[in-house]
Amino acid sequence: MSSDFVDILDECLDRLRAGDSIEACLTRYPGYADELEPLLETVHFAQALRATEPPRPEALARERNLFLTEAARLWPQEAALPAAPVRPVQPPQPTLLERIQEFFTVGWPVPAWARAAVVVVAVLLVFGAISGVAVQASETSLPGESLYTLKQLTRQLQLLATLDPVEREEKAKQFQAAERQEVQQATERGRVFREDITGVITDVRGDTLVLEGDLLVTVAPSTLITGELERGHLAILQVRSEGGRLIAENVHVGAGTQSLAALVNTPTPTVAASATPMPTPTQAPTNTATERPTRTPQPTRRATSTREPTKTYTPKPTFTSTLPPTATPGVGFELGVYELAGPIDAIRSGSWVVNGVEILVTSNTIINGEPAVGRRAHVRANRRSDGKLVAVEISVEKADTPEPPEEVQLSGVVEKREGDDVWIIAGTKVRVDGDTHVDGDLKIGAFVDVDGVRESSSTIRALKITVVEVCADPVPFQGRIVSFGSNAWVIEIETIVDGETVLVQYRILIDSDTTIENSPVEGADVQVDTCRIGDEYHARFIYVVPTPTVPPTSTFTPTVPPPVSVTPEPPTNTPTAVTTTPEPPTSTPTVKPSPTNTPVPIPRTPTPTPPTQPGSNGGPPVLVTASPMPGA
Amino acid sequence: MSETQVRFEQAGQYDPVVLAEIYDEYSVKIYNYIYHKTGDRSLAEDLMADVFLRALEAIQDDKGWTSSLQGWLYRIAHNLVVDHYRRQSKREGPPLNERIAATDDRSVKIAERILSGAKVRSALEHLTEEQQQVIVLKFAEDLSNREVAEILGKTEGAVKALQHRGLAALRRVLNVEEERQV
């Protein structure tokens, strides 16, 4: 097979895909036209596979719910479980309101480009230049849909652009009501989202809050609550949908029915700070494991907030830290994350020195590993406007930890076996030992998936081997035995080459995996299932059609396979007696008399792909007699 | 950190929004792929669900995708289809044509297309596993050589070679079957 041809075929396929015709491609490559044409025509057949019955919507929805329910089951710690008593806990993560305030005070914790985009959109909005298709299209969007972010952004900007306080108050109420309604609709439709909503608490029923008379929100054990859940108070909630209901992640209850607009207009710090005294900050982490703050899932949840102007998978936790407990009021953060790595020079109360740089460590800092002076640490930090670095996350490397072995996954054909424990799979040495879990019948020719670890540059130690297919490249034969030995047989099959019927001989290998039914006899008809590995055909199952020695009965019953009985073949691994002087093919097809009319009872599905042309299916037969054989 | 890594990390920390996004983005693609290999809507729906449940378990075990999420999901789907047929081969099921004949609530046009697809699927069974994969992924799923290479863990050159051999083998099988019908 010419690699040029493979590339030309691929190019023609690309052109067909782009709308070109088969004829155009044949004209472009006239020298390859005969080979290209049937292959390009076959693409049309292959494309019949595209016909699809779409999945039933109810099935898609059902499986989606199953998927998300299963996810919640697999991560029970992270998924909220309802029905526990409400408990006031730590201050909440910043709410939408706080973020808006931060945006206009110390800076919203989003990348600079996003802030710039907000400003641009605001300007366009104010001047009426963004009343186009996108905004219009977003008007009917719901939480969990991509355009909802734009819808929310538009509302926020409208609110901020309204100068009259009375009008702003009215607008804010309208927006809040609309948001609650949209959140409810999206939940009922099974959308998955996370949103901030605002409303007055009208009832508290067990673990359920009722907002504005009709919106039910479940309070879970993991819900962070500040303030007292009392009727008539304004609450700002961060909620997420789950299984057709709303779960509160954060609830902040204000002291009265202040509106969002009013709060936005308030220049003082966040409502969180004004409503409930901040709990006393915990001691900065020390060397002891028990006092070290542990990672909580909240930063990730915050990272996926759908309020941001543009959805991004950049991990936000590093940007969304509130001011550390040690921060001076009024000291903000500059945008950006600073990273540094090096040895820990000192561990003090409230700060560490890493690679000569002092890093503030707060109760919000996530610390991974066992910190100790001298160990190497990787620090991600925010820089405060006073220039100090505040660690967001510190990962401490283990001392003298050997490199974990590199995990390797490999898929391919088992090519051969070397010794007791080494197999060559897809050209790679794979060691199989007592700890290797082998799923299936591992043998030469099989297609396998290997999970393992690298032992050396050339060897993998297999942890698990899954046999995907017992034979990656099965090739069936139907023909006549020319000769047979303990290691190999020669089979002659009838095939057509350039329109002429010829007889071709193939050498098939016999090994311990070969099952032979009935004793071989030269000249007997035979059916063989082989597994091709490279240019070799490894026999897996051979059925020798018994030559009747007595008048045949009307029905044929296969006998129980006798033990393999073969005549030793001269020990040679090279093809025997290749006939190199082909006679000119006769114009009439060679008629090969069948030695028996007995139907062939091979117990498998029909295999219409005997090798019709030597080498056409990837490799030449080992032994070829190109001349037509005289009829026997 | 690449977007792939970030997404994997978010999924691994149970972010239901990210998990839902993954499902919404790939469920129909994976369903189509399985349907193209099996021709059975109910089976494709069931196996598609299994693909995502397997994916969840792998993510939780920190054994999710490392490069291409799409390629990883296709691989899971492929393995499940192979497993299904391996189990199926141990017990006789109704022939494909009977299954199709039993469903009388579809339009004739769809039935014809399905039959045509069924014929090609039947022919594909005579190709090697990798040849089948390349034919389905390239001509039914319309993936690029690079995407197919990612799924199979091969080079683009190997995919082109498999494409050539697969088309040649498919052509031979279809010719043989046509001759039989004649």
Side-chain angles (χ1 to χ4, degrees):
Chain A
M1 177 173 53
S2 156
S3 64
D4 286 347
F5 179 74
V6 168
D7 288 334
I8 289 169
L9 172 65
D10 192 59
E11 183 195 323
C12 284
L13 292 172
D14 280 345
R15 289 178 180 276
L16 286 186
R17 208 178 190 180
D20 221 345
S21 68
I22 291 178
E23 289 69 29
C25 201
L26 301 180
T27 306
R28 180 180 289 270
Y29 296 107
Y32 292 101
D34 290 345
E35 286 175 90
L36 280 172
E37 188 172 14
L39 297 179
L40 298 178
E41 285 173 355
T42 305
V43 171
H44 288 299
F45 290 108
Q47 286 172 342
L49 288 168
R50 290 183 179 177
T52 300
E53 290 175 284
R56 285 167 285 216
E58 64 270 23
L60 268 185
R62 183 182 65 239
E63 305 304 354
R64 188 179 195 275
N65 278 340
L66 176 69
F67 172 73
L68 294 173
T69 305
E70 181 65 9
R73 192 189 67 76
L74 288 172
W75 281 271
Q77 300 293 323
E78 289 81 357
L81 298 172
V86 172
R87 57 186 169 77
V89 287
Q90 299 169 5
Q93 296 292 313
T95 62
L96 165 66
L97 170 63
E98 292 172 77
R99 289 205 300 275
I100 293 171
Q101 288 181 312
E102 284 171 344
F103 180 82
F104 288 95
T105 54
V106 298
W108 203 12
V110 295
W113 62 266
R115 297 181 65 195
V118 169
V119 173
V120 169
V121 172
V123 170
L124 291 173
L125 188 73
V126 168
F127 288 97
I130 187 168
S131 58
V133 176
V135 171
Q136 198 169 6
S138 75
E139 284 174 2
T140 56
S141 63
L142 291 175
E145 298 173 356
S146 54
L147 285 176
Y148 194 69
T149 302
L150 178 59
K151 185 179 189 175
Q152 288 290 74
L153 181 63
T154 308
R155 282 177 177 161
Q156 290 171 30
L157 294 172
Q158 284 178 354
L159 203 59
L160 293 165
T162 305
L163 301 178
D164 178 22
V166 177
E167 191 183 344
R168 184 166 59 236
E169 176 76 26
E170 193 55 37
K171 265 190 186 172
K173 282 181 182 171
Q174 288 172 10
F175 290 159
Q176 289 166 13
E179 283 167 10
R180 288 192 300 271
Q181 193 177 13
E182 288 155 359
V183 159
Q184 187 147 26
Q185 285 175 358
T187 306
E188 287 165 1
R189 293 183 190 182
R191 299 275 194 281
V192 174
F193 60 86
R194 180 176 288 112
E195 282 297 331
D196 293 309
I197 54 174
T198 303
V200 174
I201 299 173
T202 49
D203 202 359
V204 181
R205 303 172 192 160
D207 63 348
T208 302
L209 288 180
V210 183
L211 286 188
E212 304 284 352
D214 57 0
L215 183 61
L216 305 181
V217 181
T218 300
V219 179
S222 58
T223 305
L224 302 178
I225 302 168
T226 50
E228 295 298 322
L229 297 177
E230 290 184 12
R231 289 178 195 156
H233 283 193
L234 180 74
I236 302 175
L237 298 87
Q238 186 181 43
V239 297
R240 73 168 190 277
S241 65
E242 189 174 290
R245 61 181 180 165
L246 283 174
I247 308 285
E249 294 186 340
N250 297 303
V251 180
H252 174 77
V253 187
T257 54
Q258 297 176 85
S259 70
L260 180 67
L263 290 168
V264 166
N265 210 25
T266 306
T268 51
T270 66
V271 67
S274 62
T276 308
M278 294 283 275
T280 308
T282 54
Q283 186 66 37
T286 67
N287 283 345
T288 56
T290 51
E291 290 180 311
R292 195 173 308 125
T294 55
R295 178 191 286 263
T296 66
Q298 288 141 14
T300 302
R301 290 179 181 169
R302 301 279 314 148
T304 57
S305 169
T306 53
R307 295 270 183 170
E308 289 157 19
T310 301
K311 181 166 283 185
T312 169
Y313 291 115
T314 305
K316 299 293 188 326
T318 53
F319 291 104
T320 55
S321 297
T322 52
L323 291 177
T326 55
T328 309
V331 176
F333 285 98
E334 292 180 3
L335 291 176
V337 173
Y338 294 82
E339 299 198 16
L340 68 106
I344 301 173
D345 301 322
I347 298 178
R348 305 174 190 139
S349 175
S351 71
W352 295 13
V353 179
V354 176
N355 207 18
V357 178
E358 184 177 29
I359 312 289
L360 297 182
V361 178
T362 75
S363 57
N364 289 331
T365 304
I366 298 166
I367 300 178
N368 304 312
E370 300 284 339
V373 172
R375 288 193 182 169
R376 187 174 168 78
H378 184 271
V379 180
R380 290 196 304 145
N382 288 330
R383 197 174 76 171
R384 286 195 333 211
S385 53
D386 62 0
K388 291 185 185 294
L389 292 175
V390 179
V392 174
E393 184 169 8
I394 304 177
S395 297
V396 183
E397 292 180 5
K398 285 185 181 174
D400 302 319
T401 305
E403 283 289 312
E406 179 194 353
E407 291 185 9
V408 181
Q409 291 181 323
L410 175 71
S411 294
V413 177
V414 181
E415 293 163 0
K416 59 181 175 179
R417 187 172 186 172
E418 290 186 349
D420 288 338
D421 61 350
V422 173
W423 298 72
I424 307 299
I425 299 173
T428 304
K429 280 186 180 177
V430 177
R431 193 163 65 78
V432 179
D433 58 24
D435 294 330
T436 305
H437 175 71
V438 179
D439 182 9
D441 193 4
L442 181 62
K443 58 174 65 171
I444 293 171
F447 187 94
V448 297
D449 287 341
V450 180
D451 290 321
V453 292
R454 186 171 296 288
E455 274 192 337
S456 69
S457 59
S458 61
T459 308
I460 291 169
R461 182 168 71 84
L463 302 175
K464 183 181 178 190
I465 296 181
T466 305
V467 178
V468 178
E469 287 290 305
V470 290
C471 176
D473 192 0
V475 179
F477 288 85
Q478 185 167 355
R480 195 176 55 173
I481 300 173
V482 174
S483 65
F484 54 91
S486 57
N487 297 322
W489 294 17
V490 176
I491 306 294
E492 185 176 71
I493 69 163
E494 199 175 83
T495 189
I496 298 172
V497 176
D498 295 334
E500 303 290 342
T501 301
V502 296
L503 293 171
V504 180
Q505 292 184 356
Y506 284 80
R507 183 167 179 267
I508 62 169
L509 301 178
I510 311 295
D511 56 34
S512 59
D513 290 325
T514 307
T515 300
I516 302 174
E517 194 161 330
N518 298 331
S519 298
V521 177
E522 285 183 11
D525 277 358
V526 68
Q527 288 210 353
V528 186
D529 283 342
T530 71
C531 188
R532 184 169 55 185
I533 302 153
D535 290 337
E536 294 180 339
Y537 296 87
H538 293 250
R540 289 284 170 263
F541 179 81
I542 302 178
Y543 179 79
V544 181
V545 179
T547 306
T549 54
V550 292
T553 57
S554 58
T555 58
F556 176 80
T557 306
T559 55
V560 175
V564 176
S565 170
V566 292
T567 307
E569 194 182 50
T572 172
N573 290 326
T574 54
T576 55
V578 176
T579 305
T580 56
T581 53
E583 294 176 14
T586 58
S587 57
T588 54
T590 304
V591 178
K592 178 171 161 271
S594 171
T596 172
N597 290 327
T598 309
V600 180
I602 292 291
R604 59 182 175 77
T605 54
T607 51
T609 54
T612 52
Q613 289 187 15
S616 64
N617 204 14
V622 175
L623 181 64
V624 177
T625 301
S627 58
M629 299 282 284
Chain B
M1 191 181 279
S2 69
E3 184 173 311
T4 295
Q5 290 170 309
V6 172
R7 208 172 190 193
F8 178 62
E9 193 167 287
Q10 289 175 327
Q13 291 180 355
Y14 180 68
D15 189 320
V17 176
V18 171
L19 291 172
E21 283 173 353
I22 290 172
Y23 184 92
D24 292 342
E25 189 173 345
Y26 293 106
S27 55
V28 174
K29 281 184 183 176
I30 295 298
Y31 164 87
N32 283 339
Y33 171 69
I34 297 172
Y35 182 89
H36 293 149
K37 298 202 81 169
T38 64
D40 183 326
R41 177 159 70 172
S42 295
L43 177 62
E45 287 168 353
D46 288 347
L47 289 181
M48 181 269 288
D50 287 348
V51 168
F52 283 93
L53 295 181
R54 288 269 182 104
L56 271 184
E57 289 165 6
I59 290 169
Q60 199 201 24
D61 291 343
D62 211 17
K63 291 180 180 170
W65 66 97
T66 52
S67 53
S68 158
L69 168 58
Q70 172 174 278
W72 183 63
L73 290 173
Y74 273 118
R75 272 194 67 78
I76 296 175
H78 168 71
N79 289 339
L80 283 178
V81 171
V82 169
D83 283 350
H84 171 80
Y85 279 116
R86 193 188 300 151
R87 285 195 302 273
Q88 189 75 6
S89 66
K90 292 175 184 168
R91 56 179 198 277
E92 290 296 322
L96 185 63
N97 286 345
E98 284 183 23
R99 284 206 302 270
I100 291 168
T103 55
D104 55 2
D105 58 343
R106 300 168 194 160
S107 71
V108 173
K109 192 176 176 186
I110 288 177
E112 283 171 355
R113 285 161 54 205
I114 292 167
L115 281 170
S116 173
K119 183 181 171 187
V120 179
R121 261 190 297 282
S122 171
L124 279 179
E125 289 173 16
H126 300 286
L127 274 60
T128 70
E129 196 61 40
E130 288 182 340
Q131 290 169 358
Q132 289 182 33
Q133 283 273 75
V134 170
I135 298 291
V136 172
L137 291 170
K138 279 218 67 174
F139 304 115
E141 309 308 316
D142 221 16
L143 299 186
S144 67
N145 287 339
R146 186 181 56 76
E147 289 170 315
V148 177
E150 274 182 352
I151 292 167
L152 298 184
K154 293 188 173 296
T155 62
E156 288 188 48
V159 169
K160 288 182 193 173
L162 278 167
Q163 168 179 267
H164 171 221
R165 287 166 54 185
L167 283 173
L170 183 61
R171 178 71 180 192
R172 280 198 303 276
V173 176
L174 291 172
N175 278 348
V176 169
E177 291 189 343
E178 254 175 39
E179 284 167 13
R180 280 183 174 179
Q181 287 169 1
V182 171

